[in-house]
Amino acid sequence: MPTFDWEAAESTSKFSFKEMVQAASLFFFKTTASVPKVTPYLWAWGIGGVIGNLSIGTLIDRIGRPSWIIGGILALLALAMFSLPLVLGITFLAFLPFMVWGEMG
């Protein structure tokens, strides 16, 4: 019977918290006049994370090739990261990279 790896879960949650802090710091380095509040973007990141966690098992079962899924996750994560500077000034578009980042992270 498989056992739950508590150390891996703890290190994953610490890494996830570090990602959230990095996301918040993006807004502080950018001019604060263009991004009035950080909280909605962090909510989008968190909602994306919940969606990603709930859907990854079904996706792995359906596709059956974890290496393809990891490649797709890395590609989408890179796309989200590189698109952030381009869309931070556009309020509604700025939510999408954060949701994708949350889903893929």
Side-chain angles (χ1 to χ4, degrees):
M1 181 172 178
T3 60
F4 187 75
D5 188 0
W6 288 103
E7 288 182 26
E10 182 181 358
S11 66
T12 302
S13 65
K14 286 178 184 176
F15 179 72
S16 201
F17 179 73
K18 288 178 186 177
E19 282 182 335
M20 187 184 299
V21 170
Q22 288 173 349
S25 69
L26 285 173
F27 291 109
F28 293 118
F29 289 125
K30 183 129 172 109
T31 58
T32 55
S34 65
V35 181
K37 296 187 185 225
V38 176
T39 307
Y41 298 99
L42 294 178
W43 268 99
W45 182 82
I47 291 169
V50 170
I51 293 169
N53 283 328
L54 292 175
S55 62
I56 191 65
T58 306
L59 187 64
I60 289 174
D61 288 343
R62 233 179 238 174
I63 293 177
R65 293 187 176 226
S67 59
W68 287 15
I69 295 172
I70 291 172
I73 286 172
L74 290 175
L76 286 171
L77 190 57
L79 180 67
M81 293 290 182
F82 288 121
S83 68
L84 271 175
L86 302 173
V87 297
L88 276 180
I90 307 167
T91 306
F92 291 107
L93 285 180
F95 286 109
L96 292 176
F98 279 100
M99 285 193 77
V100 171
W101 186 2
E103 288 173 339
M104 301 302 122

